């Protein structure tokens, strides 16, 4: 639901009632991940998608019925075979949806939509399995770990009677801190937790032509992109109009003082030892998601030697992706940016980087449920 929060918050501000279908689990091959949502308002206006088109018509009808009846339901859609009129996923997977109305009295859900639309860090946990009276019950968790429950009569079940609420909030907060959306099982109940966090950071070191192409590609992937270079003549807004931030500073000094987390991506494109070695000495000791460095294999060997001399261990050096990117035969800055982006996606999602043709590997990977 939070993936379309901006539109839904506007609907709520306009006084509209609506129903939302949210993907809460995926098995096999399916086009949309957990958290994807489709909403229908009382006038029949639709926003969002849960399947890329396979079952949207049936989901629309479920939302209309939910809005009419005020009921919350969980529905599963699986594979549709050779019957062209069957409702199902032609890709062969299965998705499970939580369909719930959001009316004027659903204040907590509306608060979650408002917070998410403003870019605040919040998690919305809703019951997807358990007693019927609790189905859809919401719990809103904030960045500092505090949480809110709906007041009696506040819509979507009876969350004021939610058992183990503090443990649930703690587990949801752990997922929020990691930026995870997925299922949580606790005390005989299953919750779907949607986390809304700021975009992950990509910091590109080296204001070169390859960096300009990488900035454009990274923005398509949803990163907040910073370009850092010690040379003010190169690190300019004119050269990097799509970057969120441009920093003129020595790379290692900037990295030491800026905020990073487990989702941060660091791309070192300077391939100059006086920049690379102090920068990578800092970077390889940080708990970030990805560290890649540009350069030839000869440059890489010299860089590794210098990093060992600087005191880095083999375990720390093993985190370095160098030469950066996947082997796509890339030559231009734009092709190289695609190569780097492909490696980052593969690292993030656990992909092999191999062609799907003949590989037998799953096309869509799913995150497992968290049991507490």
């Amino acid at each position: 639901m939070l993936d379309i929060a901006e539109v839904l918050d506007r609907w709520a501000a306009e006084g509209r009632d609506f129903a939302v279908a949210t993907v809460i689990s995926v098995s096999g091959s399916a086009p949309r991940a957990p958290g994807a949502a489709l909403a229908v308002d009382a006038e029949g206006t639709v926003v969002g998608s849960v399947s890329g088109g396979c079952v949207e018509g049936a989901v629309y009808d479920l939302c209309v019925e939910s809005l009419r009846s005020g009921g919350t339901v969980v529905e599963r859609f699986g594979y549709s075979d050779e019957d062209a009129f069957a409702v199902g996923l032609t890709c062969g997977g299965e998705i499970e949806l939580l369909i719930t109305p959001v009316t004027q009295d659903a204040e907590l859900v509306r608060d979650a939509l408002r917070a998410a639309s403003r870019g605040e860090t919040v998690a919305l946990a809703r019951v997807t399995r358990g007693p019927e009276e609790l189905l859809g019950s919401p719990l809103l968790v904030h960045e500092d770990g505090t949480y809110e429950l709906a007041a009696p009569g506040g819509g979507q079940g009876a969350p004021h009677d939610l058992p183990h609420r503090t443990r649930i909030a703690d587990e949801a907060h752990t997922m929020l801190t990691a930026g995870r959306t997925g299922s949580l099982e606790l005390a005989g109940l299953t919750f779907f937790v949607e986390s809304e966090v700021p975009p992950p950071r990509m910091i590109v070191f080296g204001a070169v032509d390859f960096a300009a192409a990488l900035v454009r590609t990274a923005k398509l992937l949803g990163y907040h992109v910073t370009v850092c270079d010690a040379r003010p003549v190169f690190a300019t807004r004119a050269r990097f109009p799509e970057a969120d931030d441009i920093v003129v500073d020595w790379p290692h000094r900037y990295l030491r003082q800026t905020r990073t987390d487990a989702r941060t991506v660091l791309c070192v494109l300077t391939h100059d030892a006086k920049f690379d070695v102090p920068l990578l000495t800092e970077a390889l000791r940080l708990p970030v998601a990805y560290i890649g460095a540009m350069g030839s294999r000869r440059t890489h060997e010299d860089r590794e030697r210098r990093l060992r001399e600087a005191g880095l261990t083999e375990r720390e050096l093993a985190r370095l992706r160098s030469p950066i990117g996947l082997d796509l035969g890339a030559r231009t800055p734009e092709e190289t940016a695609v190569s780097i982006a492909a490696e980052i996606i593969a690292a993030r999602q656990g992909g092999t980087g191999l062609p799907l043709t003949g590989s037998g590997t799953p096309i869509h990977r799913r995150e497992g449920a968290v049991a507490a």
Side-chain angles (χ1 to χ4, degrees):
M1 181 194 295
L2 299 187
D3 73 326
I4 53 174
E6 189 171 345
V7 174
L8 298 186
D9 180 49
R10 187 170 69 248
W11 284 7
E14 293 169 354
R16 302 195 211 183
D17 290 342
F18 49 90
V20 185
T22 305
V23 178
I24 58 174
S25 71
V26 172
S27 61
S29 182
R32 300 300 308 276
L38 178 149
V40 181
D41 74 358
E43 301 299 319
T45 306
V46 181
V47 64
S49 171
V50 293
S51 71
C54 303
V55 299
E56 311 295 81
V59 175
Y60 175 93
D61 291 340
L62 288 168
C63 286
V64 170
E65 174 58 24
S66 175
L67 196 52
R68 184 197 65 78
S69 67
T72 295
V73 297
V74 173
E75 283 285 337
R76 178 179 291 273
F77 290 92
Y79 176 62
S80 64
D81 56 17
E82 64 277 359
D83 180 357
F85 295 99
V87 175
L89 300 177
T90 56
C91 54
E94 289 188 346
I95 60 172
E96 195 170 30
L97 305 174
L98 176 69
I99 300 101
T100 185
V102 182
T103 53
Q104 294 296 317
D105 63 352
E107 294 181 5
L108 194 66
V109 173
R110 289 172 178 255
D111 288 346
L113 294 172
R114 186 178 307 110
S117 70
R118 294 174 178 173
E120 298 176 17
T121 300
V122 292
L124 179 65
R126 291 181 288 164
V127 177
T128 58
R129 283 190 180 85
E132 184 176 353
E133 66 273 14
L134 289 180
L135 193 63
S137 294
L139 182 148
L140 179 59
V141 182
H142 298 281
E143 184 175 12
D144 62 2
T146 59
Y147 66 92
E148 298 176 57
L149 296 168
Q156 271 80 53
H160 55 289
D161 294 326
L162 198 61
H164 307 287
R165 63 190 69 177
T166 301
R167 284 188 61 197
I168 294 162
D170 288 344
E171 295 293 339
H173 185 253
T174 298
M175 295 178 67
L176 176 62
T177 301
R180 287 194 60 245
T181 287
S183 293
L184 166 65
E185 297 176 7
L186 180 63
L189 300 173
T190 301
F191 297 82
F192 183 68
V193 181
E194 295 179 76
S195 293
E196 177 65 26
V197 294
R201 294 191 71 189
M202 176 186 286
I203 309 177
V204 182
F205 297 98
V208 297
D209 288 346
F210 289 95
L214 182 56
V215 168
R216 293 193 294 271
T217 304
K219 292 303 294 180
L220 288 174
L221 296 179
Y223 283 94
H224 180 103
V225 185
T226 299
V227 175
C228 176
D229 197 299
R231 303 164 297 179
V233 68
F234 293 111
T236 66
R237 177 58 64 186
R239 285 171 53 82
F240 300 97
E242 293 170 278
D244 295 289
D245 307 299
I246 299 173
V247 176
V248 178
D249 199 351
W250 277 82
H252 72 282
R253 185 166 60 192
Y254 174 68
L255 181 60
R256 190 180 298 155
Q257 66 189 19
T258 194
R259 174 189 58 80
T260 60
D261 59 28
R263 301 183 300 146
T264 301
V265 166
L266 307 178
C267 297
V268 181
L269 308 187
T270 47
H271 52 85
D272 183 330
K274 70 176 177 290
F275 294 119
D276 291 1
V277 173
L279 171 59
L280 289 171
T281 300
E282 295 283 340
L284 291 169
R285 289 168 174 161
L286 291 175
V288 296
Y290 173 95
I291 306 166
M294 178 175 278
S296 67
R297 298 195 184 280
R298 181 176 179 178
T299 298
H300 171 66
E301 290 173 2
D302 179 67
R303 183 190 290 135
E304 275 202 328
R305 177 183 59 79
R306 292 172 183 267
L307 289 170
R308 287 190 181 94
E309 290 173 354
L312 268 75
T313 67
E314 295 302 316
R315 183 174 182 178
E316 289 167 337
L317 287 171
R319 300 181 59 211
L320 178 61
R321 308 269 183 157
S322 176
I324 195 171
L326 297 184
D327 180 9
L328 305 182
R331 300 187 66 85
T332 67
E334 290 73 21
E335 291 173 344
T336 302
V338 171
S339 166
I340 295 170
E343 184 175 50
I344 291 169
I345 294 169
R348 184 178 66 195
Q349 303 291 359
T352 65
L354 298 173
L356 290 170
T357 303
S359 69
T361 57
I363 296 175
H364 302 288
R365 290 168 168 80
R366 63 180 289 271
E367 292 187 10
V370 177

